[in-house]
Amino acid sequence: MTNIKKVSELAGVSTATVSRTLKSPDQVSEATREKVLEAVKAAGYRPNWLASSVKSGRSNTIVVLVPNLVNPFFMRIIGGIEQAAQEKGFSVLLGDTQGSPEREHEYASMVLTNRADGLIQLDHSFPFSAADADLAGDLPMVSVCERIHSEKKYPVIELDNYAASRALAHHLLGYGHKHFAAIVGQVSSQIYRERLAGIRSVLQEEQIPFEQSQITGGAYTIEAGIAGIAHLLSLPQRPTAIFCFNDDIAIGAVHAIKKAGLRVPEDISVVGFDNIKVSAFIDPPLTTVDQPAYDMGRRAVDVLVSQIRGEPLARSKEVLPFQLIERESSGPAPV
Amino acid sequence: MTNIKKVSELAGVSTATVSRTLKSPDQVSEATREKVLEAVKAAGYRPNWLASSVKSGRSNTIVVLVPNLVNPFFMRIIGGIEQAAQEKGFSVLLGDTQGSPEREHEYASMVLTNRADGLIQLDHSFPFSAADADLAGDLPMVSVCERIHSEKKYPVIELDNYAASRALAHHLLGYGHKHFAAIVGQVSSQIYRERLAGIRSVLQEEQIPFEQSQITGGAYTIEAGIAGIAHLLSLPQRPTAIFCFNDDIAIGAVHAIKKAGLRVPEDISVVGFDNIKVSAFIDPPLTTVDQPAYDMGRRAVDVLVSQIRGEPLARSKEVLPFQLIERESSGPAPV
DNA sequence: CTGTTAGCGCATTCAC
DNA sequence: GTGAATGCGCTAACAG
């Protein structure tokens, strides 16, 4: 272990001077600076990050809690987080929770133990358990996509889900659809409520019924899309247009519809949310709502870091713009 | 900041006793243990991770270098890494390099500065630059999928690419194909060479020509698959079977072939590598080679952690089994 | 501009 | 079984 002391001896100066040479070179004379830098090089010295962090009390690290690593939508968010974090001198600790409260708790505790300075929550079950009530006290935390259930207000970066689902509904209405259905993701969530409310508001304006039996699903997975179609095709009134609450669900739905011998969009139109990469390349390409995932990640870091620095935050809710991407999985209602 | 001293005062004992109560409770009498634990609870004390790590000199953290977060294959590996790391008490720092040598360098340096104890490389360009020659000296490091170019031998967890591509080639030969092509990923890589060698070996046995003009591509992306098809369809002799070097390329290829008015597999068979989730649900479902990504991640952690602990490693190369998944994107050669 | 001193929070000697 | 003292590696305050 080559430490600062060894370098100081090598350069014939004090350890303080070595430290200064590296942290604030302008406080050191040209001559000694050169001497020190040479010694640093000769010794192959790198300052021990752990030691500096103990002093400052800050780890310049943030934890990202994500329910599922394989969802490309989350990963695009994390890409934005990573980029922004690096620009600000922060590292990213990955917290794959798999939806487990114990794991969430464990990762959240890292902030309490100075292992990290703050938390970005891509899941939405915080505060996880009763055991975390204390812990939730004063954590620097930002939520992406989903508001956090807690007395304390945490900032949130989200999409205008209400408006986005209204846009999708109008898009499908424009094609003359009258029989709708939805395959949703996690039910106990803000997203679920807002998107459903958006759809309902439009259909009510048009006096089109939308019953509970037309809503199915429960997970953001391809399998949920397949199972959802199985259910919906068994209904007495088969829907001609289906809202899928993310693109994975939509991919499963398209797959199942085609497997059942029906066509997309001639028999059934399918629309999704997220605009993941592959959505443009399946058959048919998916009509979906583009979410600026990368930017959401970047903004989350901005907000979190100012929280960590104790700066007052301008607004606690940030709504990013969406974009309706019309592709070929939606079309005129069958006659 | 509630520190160990505050707790010791609250419990009326020394800081050493508090420390012991938490680290090795059996060295403390029942009575004082209870007293201390009560004080810990009352103060809401959590040991400062940074401080303990300075002492031990180990951060129990590993860095994962990944070229691209959106590739679901990598993310499955990282899922395995995360799981195994957590079981062993390690945290995972995410290093999204985007293929940039500067970033790779920066992340690799973290190990030198005690910010992390070791490195898992999912990319394969180490040692990144000349500047890293020193750095490469004695880094605990494991490579997944791809051997590292360096004098020093680093352990590697990989697939038997040679055998896997031979299996694919035999599969296609069994369907009577005689005109082959390949859309490859990164060219300067072990994977490229091994897979191509596997294909070549089988085709040579059958006296089937395989020229350089039948090999195209250069990136592991959907776009590369599309561009590859554009090239291959322009050849005088159109191939009837195409090896894609990952599923993303294959998805692009299938998309482009259908867009050109041809059918998969009736006109052209397409096979991939990786078996990412969505491959089973596109139209047609993809014939591909399943790589045990999750297990690869787990094994990588096993090997890395024993390296960190200074244990001698049994073997420096570990080859995991593959599985040929036959689906509907491959079929009889057109007559 | 530079060296000395002190201390971050904790864990590990070594005494008792 | 417990406490006092020491030091991890580094940086900040204070002298000079």
Side-chain angles (χ1 to χ4, degrees), chain A residues 48-49 54 60-61 75 82-83 86 91-92 94 103 107 113-115 223 258 277 283, chain B residues 49 54 60-61 75 82-83 86 91-92 94 103 107 113-115 223 258 277 283:
Chain A
N48 183 322
W49 172 84
V54 193
N60 288 333
T61 302
M75 293 323 294
E82 233 271 345
Q83 175 67 35
Q86 190 169 46
S91 313
V92 175
L94 195 59
R103 285 195 168 210
Y107 283 116
T113 58
N114 283 46
R115 182 154 194 173
E223 285 81 1
K258 290 167 83 170
K277 181 80 173 260
D283 183 14
Chain B
W49 172 84
V54 194
N60 287 334
T61 301
M75 293 323 294
E82 233 272 345
Q83 175 67 35
Q86 190 169 44
S91 311
V92 175
L94 194 60
R103 287 197 167 208
Y107 283 115
T113 59
N114 283 45
R115 181 152 194 175
E223 286 80 3
K258 289 167 82 171
K277 181 80 173 261
D283 183 14

mmCIF file of all heavy atoms in Angstrom, chain A residues 48-49 54 60-61 75 82-83 86 91-92 94 103 107 113-115 223 258 277 283, chain B residues 49 54 60-61 75 82-83 86 91-92 94 103 107 113-115 223 258 277 283:
data_model
loop_
_atom_site.group_PDB
_atom_site.id
_atom_site.type_symbol
_atom_site.label_atom_id
_atom_site.label_comp_id
_atom_site.label_asym_id
_atom_site.label_seq_id
_atom_site.Cartn_x
_atom_site.Cartn_y
_atom_site.Cartn_z
ATOM 1 N N ASN A 48 -6.170 7.377 -1.354
ATOM 2 C CA ASN A 48 -7.161 6.414 -0.901
ATOM 3 C C ASN A 48 -8.515 7.094 -0.773
ATOM 4 O O ASN A 48 -8.735 7.933 0.090
ATOM 5 C CB ASN A 48 -6.709 5.829 0.436
ATOM 6 C CG ASN A 48 -7.663 4.764 0.933
ATOM 7 O OD1 ASN A 48 -8.873 4.888 0.787
ATOM 8 N ND2 ASN A 48 -7.111 3.718 1.507
ATOM 9 N N TRP A 49 -9.415 6.676 -1.637
ATOM 10 C CA TRP A 49 -10.722 7.323 -1.688
ATOM 11 C C TRP A 49 -11.499 7.138 -0.391
ATOM 12 O O TRP A 49 -12.191 8.040 0.079
ATOM 13 C CB TRP A 49 -11.514 6.744 -2.852
ATOM 14 C CG TRP A 49 -12.922 7.195 -2.892
ATOM 15 C CD1 TRP A 49 -13.399 8.345 -3.437
ATOM 16 C CD2 TRP A 49 -14.053 6.507 -2.361
ATOM 17 N NE1 TRP A 49 -14.748 8.412 -3.280
ATOM 18 C CE2 TRP A 49 -15.176 7.298 -2.632
ATOM 19 C CE3 TRP A 49 -14.226 5.295 -1.688
ATOM 20 C CZ2 TRP A 49 -16.460 6.918 -2.248
ATOM 21 C CZ3 TRP A 49 -15.494 4.914 -1.301
ATOM 22 C CH2 TRP A 49 -16.593 5.717 -1.578
ATOM 23 N N VAL A 54 -14.061 9.485 4.494
ATOM 24 C CA VAL A 54 -14.352 9.501 5.927
ATOM 25 C C VAL A 54 -14.300 10.928 6.428
ATOM 26 O O VAL A 54 -15.152 11.372 7.191
ATOM 27 C CB VAL A 54 -13.301 8.730 6.746
ATOM 28 C CG1 VAL A 54 -13.794 8.503 8.150
ATOM 29 C CG2 VAL A 54 -12.965 7.435 6.104
ATOM 30 N N ASN A 60 -20.089 10.574 -2.192
ATOM 31 C CA ASN A 60 -20.300 10.859 -3.617
ATOM 32 C C ASN A 60 -20.805 9.645 -4.379
ATOM 33 O O ASN A 60 -20.325 9.323 -5.453
ATOM 34 C CB ASN A 60 -19.017 11.386 -4.264
ATOM 35 C CG ASN A 60 -18.706 12.795 -3.806
ATOM 36 O OD1 ASN A 60 -19.607 13.546 -3.448
ATOM 37 N ND2 ASN A 60 -17.445 13.157 -3.816
ATOM 38 N N THR A 61 -21.727 8.998 -3.776
ATOM 39 C CA THR A 61 -22.299 7.795 -4.368
ATOM 40 C C THR A 61 -23.808 7.845 -4.220
ATOM 41 O O THR A 61 -24.313 8.296 -3.194
ATOM 42 C CB THR A 61 -21.744 6.546 -3.641
ATOM 43 O OG1 THR A 61 -20.321 6.547 -3.742
ATOM 44 C CG2 THR A 61 -22.298 5.273 -4.250
ATOM 45 N N MET A 75 -33.529 0.550 -17.934
ATOM 46 C CA MET A 75 -32.115 0.664 -18.199
ATOM 47 C C MET A 75 -31.794 1.954 -18.935
ATOM 48 O O MET A 75 -30.705 2.504 -18.768
ATOM 49 C CB MET A 75 -31.619 -0.552 -18.972
ATOM 50 C CG MET A 75 -31.674 -1.845 -18.165
ATOM 51 S SD MET A 75 -31.273 -1.625 -16.407
ATOM 52 C CE MET A 75 -29.556 -1.166 -16.542
ATOM 53 N N GLU A 82 -26.564 7.355 -14.853
ATOM 54 C CA GLU A 82 -25.133 7.087 -14.849
ATOM 55 C C GLU A 82 -24.359 8.250 -15.464
ATOM 56 O O GLU A 82 -23.367 8.719 -14.921
ATOM 57 C CB GLU A 82 -24.900 5.820 -15.666
ATOM 58 C CG GLU A 82 -24.115 4.773 -14.948
ATOM 59 C CD GLU A 82 -22.667 4.989 -15.200
ATOM 60 O OE1 GLU A 82 -22.353 5.743 -16.122
ATOM 61 O OE2 GLU A 82 -21.849 4.417 -14.465
ATOM 62 N N GLN A 83 -24.843 8.690 -16.603
ATOM 63 C CA GLN A 83 -24.172 9.774 -17.318
ATOM 64 C C GLN A 83 -24.128 11.039 -16.463
ATOM 65 O O GLN A 83 -23.073 11.635 -16.259
ATOM 66 C CB GLN A 83 -24.920 10.039 -18.631
ATOM 67 C CG GLN A 83 -24.393 11.215 -19.421
ATOM 68 C CD GLN A 83 -23.005 10.945 -19.954
ATOM 69 O OE1 GLN A 83 -22.687 9.830 -20.318
ATOM 70 N NE2 GLN A 83 -22.176 11.987 -19.987
ATOM 71 N N GLN A 86 -21.918 10.702 -13.347
ATOM 72 C CA GLN A 86 -20.489 10.801 -13.618
ATOM 73 C C GLN A 86 -20.068 12.243 -13.856
ATOM 74 O O GLN A 86 -19.038 12.688 -13.351
ATOM 75 C CB GLN A 86 -20.122 9.941 -14.817
ATOM 76 C CG GLN A 86 -18.620 9.852 -14.947
ATOM 77 C CD GLN A 86 -18.204 8.805 -15.947
ATOM 78 O OE1 GLN A 86 -18.740 8.726 -17.025
ATOM 79 N NE2 GLN A 86 -17.233 8.002 -15.562
ATOM 80 N N SER A 91 -20.760 8.244 -8.173
ATOM 81 C CA SER A 91 -20.833 6.884 -8.684
ATOM 82 C C SER A 91 -22.207 6.308 -8.402
ATOM 83 O O SER A 91 -22.910 6.769 -7.510
ATOM 84 C CB SER A 91 -19.801 5.995 -8.012
ATOM 85 O OG SER A 91 -18.557 6.609 -7.989
ATOM 86 N N VAL A 92 -22.530 5.287 -9.143
ATOM 87 C CA VAL A 92 -23.859 4.693 -9.039
ATOM 88 C C VAL A 92 -23.777 3.270 -8.503
ATOM 89 O O VAL A 92 -23.149 2.402 -9.101
ATOM 90 C CB VAL A 92 -24.552 4.669 -10.411
ATOM 91 C CG1 VAL A 92 -25.884 3.943 -10.317
ATOM 92 C CG2 VAL A 92 -24.750 6.078 -10.930
ATOM 93 N N LEU A 94 -25.745 -0.088 -7.831
ATOM 94 C CA LEU A 94 -26.917 -0.721 -8.397
ATOM 95 C C LEU A 94 -27.675 -1.492 -7.331
ATOM 96 O O LEU A 94 -27.104 -2.324 -6.642
ATOM 97 C CB LEU A 94 -26.469 -1.677 -9.500
ATOM 98 C CG LEU A 94 -27.538 -2.163 -10.438
ATOM 99 C CD1 LEU A 94 -28.181 -0.983 -11.141
ATOM 100 C CD2 LEU A 94 -26.931 -3.105 -11.453
ATOM 101 N N ARG A 103 -34.776 -6.370 0.470
ATOM 102 C CA ARG A 103 -33.671 -5.816 -0.310
ATOM 103 C C ARG A 103 -33.777 -4.310 -0.400
ATOM 104 O O ARG A 103 -32.783 -3.598 -0.296
ATOM 105 C CB ARG A 103 -33.717 -6.394 -1.720
ATOM 106 C CG ARG A 103 -33.256 -7.809 -1.785
ATOM 107 C CD ARG A 103 -32.992 -8.129 -3.228
ATOM 108 N NE ARG A 103 -32.291 -9.374 -3.359
ATOM 109 C CZ ARG A 103 -31.450 -9.626 -4.348
ATOM 110 N NH1 ARG A 103 -31.207 -8.700 -5.259
ATOM 111 N NH2 ARG A 103 -30.837 -10.768 -4.424
ATOM 112 N N TYR A 107 -30.802 -1.781 0.831
ATOM 113 C CA TYR A 107 -30.173 -0.758 0.003
ATOM 114 C C TYR A 107 -30.425 0.638 0.555
ATOM 115 O O TYR A 107 -29.537 1.488 0.550
ATOM 116 C CB TYR A 107 -30.681 -0.863 -1.431
ATOM 117 C CG TYR A 107 -30.056 -1.979 -2.196
ATOM 118 C CD1 TYR A 107 -30.803 -3.046 -2.656
ATOM 119 C CD2 TYR A 107 -28.690 -1.983 -2.440
ATOM 120 C CE1 TYR A 107 -30.220 -4.090 -3.346
ATOM 121 C CE2 TYR A 107 -28.094 -3.020 -3.129
ATOM 122 C CZ TYR A 107 -28.871 -4.074 -3.581
ATOM 123 O OH TYR A 107 -28.280 -5.095 -4.257
ATOM 124 N N THR A 113 -25.805 4.590 6.500
ATOM 125 C CA THR A 113 -24.490 4.182 6.981
ATOM 126 C C THR A 113 -23.364 4.878 6.222
ATOM 127 O O THR A 113 -22.231 4.411 6.224
ATOM 128 C CB THR A 113 -24.314 2.659 6.840
ATOM 129 O OG1 THR A 113 -24.484 2.311 5.464
ATOM 130 C CG2 THR A 113 -25.334 1.919 7.655
ATOM 131 N N ASN A 114 -23.698 5.948 5.541
ATOM 132 C CA ASN A 114 -22.685 6.714 4.818
ATOM 133 C C ASN A 114 -22.061 5.961 3.658
ATOM 134 O O ASN A 114 -21.007 6.327 3.177
ATOM 135 C CB ASN A 114 -21.557 7.165 5.750
ATOM 136 C CG ASN A 114 -21.983 8.327 6.593
ATOM 137 O OD1 ASN A 114 -23.067 8.317 7.156
ATOM 138 N ND2 ASN A 114 -21.157 9.342 6.653
ATOM 139 N N ARG A 115 -22.704 4.901 3.279
ATOM 140 C CA ARG A 115 -22.157 4.199 2.124
ATOM 141 C C ARG A 115 -22.586 4.922 0.852
ATOM 142 O O ARG A 115 -21.969 4.812 -0.190
ATOM 143 C CB ARG A 115 -22.674 2.762 2.102
ATOM 144 C CG ARG A 115 -22.118 1.984 0.965
ATOM 145 C CD ARG A 115 -22.092 0.532 1.292
ATOM 146 N NE ARG A 115 -21.283 -0.220 0.368
ATOM 147 C CZ ARG A 115 -20.991 -1.494 0.521
ATOM 148 N NH1 ARG A 115 -21.420 -2.133 1.576
ATOM 149 N NH2 ARG A 115 -20.261 -2.126 -0.360
ATOM 150 N N GLU A 223 -45.399 -12.025 -20.478
ATOM 151 C CA GLU A 223 -46.334 -13.075 -20.073
ATOM 152 C C GLU A 223 -47.680 -12.489 -19.664
ATOM 153 O O GLU A 223 -48.733 -13.056 -19.966
ATOM 154 C CB GLU A 223 -45.750 -13.879 -18.898
ATOM 155 C CG GLU A 223 -44.642 -14.838 -19.288
ATOM 156 C CD GLU A 223 -43.291 -14.148 -19.424
ATOM 157 O OE1 GLU A 223 -43.222 -12.916 -19.196
ATOM 158 O OE2 GLU A 223 -42.316 -14.825 -19.775
ATOM 159 N N LYS A 258 -51.791 -12.835 -32.618
ATOM 160 C CA LYS A 258 -51.437 -13.500 -33.872
ATOM 161 C C LYS A 258 -51.510 -15.014 -33.720
ATOM 162 O O LYS A 258 -51.962 -15.722 -34.625
ATOM 163 C CB LYS A 258 -50.031 -13.065 -34.303
ATOM 164 C CG LYS A 258 -49.978 -11.611 -34.755
ATOM 165 C CD LYS A 258 -48.550 -11.105 -34.874
ATOM 166 C CE LYS A 258 -47.919 -11.498 -36.199
ATOM 167 N NZ LYS A 258 -46.615 -10.785 -36.387
ATOM 168 N N LYS A 277 -36.708 0.180 -27.574
ATOM 169 C CA LYS A 277 -36.062 0.046 -28.871
ATOM 170 C C LYS A 277 -36.743 -0.965 -29.783
ATOM 171 O O LYS A 277 -37.075 -0.689 -30.943
ATOM 172 C CB LYS A 277 -34.609 -0.378 -28.638
ATOM 173 C CG LYS A 277 -33.782 -0.552 -29.890
ATOM 174 C CD LYS A 277 -33.316 0.801 -30.389
ATOM 175 C CE LYS A 277 -32.350 0.662 -31.545
ATOM 176 N NZ LYS A 277 -30.970 0.810 -31.135
ATOM 177 N N ASP A 283 -43.314 -7.069 -35.527
ATOM 178 C CA ASP A 283 -44.269 -7.086 -36.634
ATOM 179 C C ASP A 283 -45.680 -7.221 -36.094
ATOM 180 O O ASP A 283 -46.012 -8.270 -35.549
ATOM 181 C CB ASP A 283 -43.913 -8.269 -37.555
ATOM 182 C CG ASP A 283 -44.818 -8.324 -38.779
ATOM 183 O OD1 ASP A 283 -45.524 -7.335 -39.057
ATOM 184 O OD2 ASP A 283 -44.817 -9.380 -39.445
ATOM 185 N N TRP B 49 -20.127 3.183 7.542
ATOM 186 C CA TRP B 49 -19.489 2.202 6.679
ATOM 187 C C TRP B 49 -18.140 2.694 6.170
ATOM 188 O O TRP B 49 -17.180 1.931 6.058
ATOM 189 C CB TRP B 49 -20.413 1.893 5.506
ATOM 190 C CG TRP B 49 -19.796 1.042 4.468
ATOM 191 C CD1 TRP B 49 -19.716 -0.310 4.471
ATOM 192 C CD2 TRP B 49 -19.151 1.486 3.279
ATOM 193 N NE1 TRP B 49 -19.065 -0.735 3.353
ATOM 194 C CE2 TRP B 49 -18.707 0.336 2.602
ATOM 195 C CE3 TRP B 49 -18.916 2.742 2.714
ATOM 196 C CZ2 TRP B 49 -18.035 0.412 1.389
ATOM 197 C CZ3 TRP B 49 -18.253 2.822 1.513
ATOM 198 C CH2 TRP B 49 -17.815 1.670 0.858
ATOM 199 N N VAL B 54 -12.185 2.143 5.930
ATOM 200 C CA VAL B 54 -10.826 2.673 5.965
ATOM 201 C C VAL B 54 -9.926 1.744 6.750
ATOM 202 O O VAL B 54 -8.812 1.435 6.347
ATOM 203 C CB VAL B 54 -10.739 4.039 6.688
ATOM 204 C CG1 VAL B 54 -9.414 4.689 6.393
ATOM 205 C CG2 VAL B 54 -11.867 4.927 6.295
ATOM 206 N N ASN B 60 -15.471 -3.833 -0.009
ATOM 207 C CA ASN B 60 -16.538 -4.787 -0.322
ATOM 208 C C ASN B 60 -17.422 -4.313 -1.455
ATOM 209 O O ASN B 60 -18.649 -4.363 -1.389
ATOM 210 C CB ASN B 60 -17.381 -5.078 0.920
ATOM 211 C CG ASN B 60 -16.638 -5.932 1.910
ATOM 212 O OD1 ASN B 60 -15.751 -6.691 1.534
ATOM 213 N ND2 ASN B 60 -16.969 -5.803 3.172
ATOM 214 N N THR B 61 -16.771 -3.808 -2.441
ATOM 215 C CA THR B 61 -17.490 -3.275 -3.596
ATOM 216 C C THR B 61 -16.794 -3.755 -4.861
ATOM 217 O O THR B 61 -15.572 -3.826 -4.905
ATOM 218 C CB THR B 61 -17.471 -1.736 -3.556
ATOM 219 O OG1 THR B 61 -18.072 -1.290 -2.343
ATOM 220 C CG2 THR B 61 -18.222 -1.147 -4.731
ATOM 221 N N MET B 75 -27.629 -7.303 -19.196
ATOM 222 C CA MET B 75 -28.341 -7.044 -17.962
ATOM 223 C C MET B 75 -28.653 -8.327 -17.225
ATOM 224 O O MET B 75 -28.720 -8.343 -16.003
ATOM 225 C CB MET B 75 -29.609 -6.235 -18.245
ATOM 226 C CG MET B 75 -29.309 -4.831 -18.741
ATOM 227 S SD MET B 75 -27.849 -4.062 -17.955
ATOM 228 C CE MET B 75 -28.452 -3.910 -16.282
ATOM 229 N N GLU B 82 -25.191 -9.147 -9.445
ATOM 230 C CA GLU B 82 -25.799 -8.437 -8.326
ATOM 231 C C GLU B 82 -26.228 -9.422 -7.242
ATOM 232 O O GLU B 82 -25.967 -9.225 -6.059
ATOM 233 C CB GLU B 82 -27.026 -7.696 -8.858
ATOM 234 C CG GLU B 82 -27.048 -6.227 -8.530
ATOM 235 C CD GLU B 82 -27.697 -6.038 -7.211
ATOM 236 O OE1 GLU B 82 -28.339 -6.969 -6.737
ATOM 237 O OE2 GLU B 82 -27.562 -4.927 -6.661
ATOM 238 N N GLN B 83 -26.893 -10.472 -7.668
ATOM 239 C CA GLN B 83 -27.391 -11.461 -6.726
ATOM 240 C C GLN B 83 -26.238 -12.105 -5.953
ATOM 241 O O GLN B 83 -26.239 -12.132 -4.733
ATOM 242 C CB GLN B 83 -28.175 -12.529 -7.495
ATOM 243 C CG GLN B 83 -28.645 -13.687 -6.660
ATOM 244 C CD GLN B 83 -29.699 -13.253 -5.654
ATOM 245 O OE1 GLN B 83 -30.508 -12.371 -5.952
ATOM 246 N NE2 GLN B 83 -29.676 -13.854 -4.476
ATOM 247 N N GLN B 86 -24.469 -9.649 -3.600
ATOM 248 C CA GLN B 86 -25.183 -9.382 -2.361
ATOM 249 C C GLN B 86 -25.050 -10.539 -1.381
ATOM 250 O O GLN B 86 -24.837 -10.326 -0.197
ATOM 251 C CB GLN B 86 -26.646 -9.103 -2.660
ATOM 252 C CG GLN B 86 -27.337 -8.577 -1.412
ATOM 253 C CD GLN B 86 -28.700 -8.036 -1.710
ATOM 254 O OE1 GLN B 86 -29.473 -8.624 -2.430
ATOM 255 N NE2 GLN B 86 -29.006 -6.896 -1.125
ATOM 256 N N SER B 91 -21.215 -4.878 -2.767
ATOM 257 C CA SER B 91 -22.084 -4.010 -3.539
ATOM 258 C C SER B 91 -21.532 -3.869 -4.953
ATOM 259 O O SER B 91 -20.352 -4.083 -5.194
ATOM 260 C CB SER B 91 -22.150 -2.615 -2.933
ATOM 261 O OG SER B 91 -22.404 -2.688 -1.570
ATOM 262 N N VAL B 92 -22.389 -3.486 -5.845
ATOM 263 C CA VAL B 92 -22.015 -3.395 -7.250
ATOM 264 C C VAL B 92 -22.064 -1.955 -7.746
ATOM 265 O O VAL B 92 -23.109 -1.305 -7.703
ATOM 266 C CB VAL B 92 -22.962 -4.243 -8.115
ATOM 267 C CG1 VAL B 92 -22.644 -4.058 -9.589
ATOM 268 C CG2 VAL B 92 -22.867 -5.702 -7.732
ATOM 269 N N LEU B 94 -21.893 0.459 -10.861
ATOM 270 C CA LEU B 94 -22.175 0.318 -12.275
ATOM 271 C C LEU B 94 -21.240 1.187 -13.095
ATOM 272 O O LEU B 94 -21.118 2.385 -12.846
ATOM 273 C CB LEU B 94 -23.619 0.750 -12.523
ATOM 274 C CG LEU B 94 -24.209 0.361 -13.860
ATOM 275 C CD1 LEU B 94 -24.195 -1.138 -14.027
ATOM 276 C CD2 LEU B 94 -25.634 0.887 -13.944
ATOM 277 N N ARG B 103 -13.531 6.432 -20.035
ATOM 278 C CA ARG B 103 -14.421 5.975 -18.975
ATOM 279 C C ARG B 103 -13.951 4.664 -18.388
ATOM 280 O O ARG B 103 -13.977 4.470 -17.181
ATOM 281 C CB ARG B 103 -15.820 5.794 -19.544
ATOM 282 C CG ARG B 103 -16.510 7.081 -19.823
ATOM 283 C CD ARG B 103 -17.963 6.786 -19.961
ATOM 284 N NE ARG B 103 -18.767 7.976 -19.928
ATOM 285 C CZ ARG B 103 -20.012 8.005 -19.500
ATOM 286 N NH1 ARG B 103 -20.565 6.888 -19.072
ATOM 287 N NH2 ARG B 103 -20.685 9.110 -19.492
ATOM 288 N N TYR B 107 -13.090 4.130 -14.411
ATOM 289 C CA TYR B 107 -13.699 3.121 -13.548
ATOM 290 C C TYR B 107 -12.663 2.142 -13.025
ATOM 291 O O TYR B 107 -12.700 1.735 -11.866
ATOM 292 C CB TYR B 107 -14.795 2.383 -14.300
ATOM 293 C CG TYR B 107 -16.063 3.171 -14.409
ATOM 294 C CD1 TYR B 107 -16.548 3.606 -15.628
ATOM 295 C CD2 TYR B 107 -16.777 3.505 -13.265
ATOM 296 C CE1 TYR B 107 -17.716 4.338 -15.724
ATOM 297 C CE2 TYR B 107 -17.941 4.228 -13.344
ATOM 298 C CZ TYR B 107 -18.412 4.641 -14.571
ATOM 299 O OH TYR B 107 -19.551 5.373 -14.658
ATOM 300 N N THR B 113 -7.835 3.121 -6.109
ATOM 301 C CA THR B 113 -8.026 4.121 -5.057
ATOM 302 C C THR B 113 -8.865 3.576 -3.914
ATOM 303 O O THR B 113 -9.438 4.341 -3.144
ATOM 304 C CB THR B 113 -8.715 5.367 -5.630
ATOM 305 O OG1 THR B 113 -9.977 4.973 -6.187
ATOM 306 C CG2 THR B 113 -7.884 6.023 -6.696
ATOM 307 N N ASN B 114 -8.972 2.287 -3.830
ATOM 308 C CA ASN B 114 -9.713 1.655 -2.735
ATOM 309 C C ASN B 114 -11.196 1.960 -2.748
ATOM 310 O O ASN B 114 -11.874 1.822 -1.756
ATOM 311 C CB ASN B 114 -9.155 2.082 -1.375
ATOM 312 C CG ASN B 114 -7.881 1.361 -1.050
ATOM 313 O OD1 ASN B 114 -7.017 1.253 -1.911
ATOM 314 N ND2 ASN B 114 -7.775 0.855 0.154
ATOM 315 N N ARG B 115 -11.668 2.452 -3.855
ATOM 316 C CA ARG B 115 -13.099 2.686 -3.914
ATOM 317 C C ARG B 115 -13.812 1.366 -4.195
ATOM 318 O O ARG B 115 -14.968 1.195 -3.893
ATOM 319 C CB ARG B 115 -13.412 3.691 -5.016
ATOM 320 C CG ARG B 115 -14.863 3.986 -5.116
ATOM 321 C CD ARG B 115 -15.085 5.360 -5.655
ATOM 322 N NE ARG B 115 -16.445 5.788 -5.463
ATOM 323 C CZ ARG B 115 -16.863 6.991 -5.756
ATOM 324 N NH1 ARG B 115 -16.021 7.879 -6.242
ATOM 325 N NH2 ARG B 115 -18.110 7.334 -5.565
ATOM 326 N N GLU B 223 -29.824 -2.163 -35.782
ATOM 327 C CA GLU B 223 -29.483 -1.422 -36.998
ATOM 328 C C GLU B 223 -28.441 -2.178 -37.831
ATOM 329 O O GLU B 223 -28.523 -2.199 -39.064
ATOM 330 C CB GLU B 223 -28.937 -0.033 -36.647
ATOM 331 C CG GLU B 223 -29.982 0.957 -36.180
ATOM 332 C CD GLU B 223 -30.369 0.780 -34.727
ATOM 333 O OE1 GLU B 223 -29.782 -0.099 -34.045
ATOM 334 O OE2 GLU B 223 -31.249 1.517 -34.259
ATOM 335 N N LYS B 258 -38.346 -9.259 -43.904
ATOM 336 C CA LYS B 258 -39.791 -9.172 -44.125
ATOM 337 C C LYS B 258 -40.133 -7.884 -44.868
ATOM 338 O O LYS B 258 -41.002 -7.867 -45.756
ATOM 339 C CB LYS B 258 -40.525 -9.233 -42.787
ATOM 340 C CG LYS B 258 -40.463 -10.611 -42.145
ATOM 341 C CD LYS B 258 -40.901 -10.609 -40.700
ATOM 342 C CE LYS B 258 -42.406 -10.663 -40.545
ATOM 343 N NZ LYS B 258 -42.786 -10.877 -39.122
ATOM 344 N N LYS B 277 -34.967 -12.515 -23.896
ATOM 345 C CA LYS B 277 -36.383 -12.778 -23.641
ATOM 346 C C LYS B 277 -37.271 -12.596 -24.872
ATOM 347 O O LYS B 277 -38.070 -13.460 -25.241
ATOM 348 C CB LYS B 277 -36.856 -11.831 -22.533
ATOM 349 C CG LYS B 277 -38.304 -11.989 -22.126
ATOM 350 C CD LYS B 277 -38.448 -13.165 -21.186
ATOM 351 C CE LYS B 277 -39.860 -13.252 -20.633
ATOM 352 N NZ LYS B 277 -39.946 -12.683 -19.294
ATOM 353 N N ASP B 283 -41.986 -12.473 -34.407
ATOM 354 C CA ASP B 283 -42.606 -13.277 -35.451
ATOM 355 C C ASP B 283 -41.670 -13.376 -36.640
ATOM 356 O O ASP B 283 -41.445 -12.383 -37.324
ATOM 357 C CB ASP B 283 -43.932 -12.619 -35.855
ATOM 358 C CG ASP B 283 -44.669 -13.442 -36.900
ATOM 359 O OD1 ASP B 283 -44.308 -14.606 -37.108
ATOM 360 O OD2 ASP B 283 -45.613 -12.899 -37.492
#
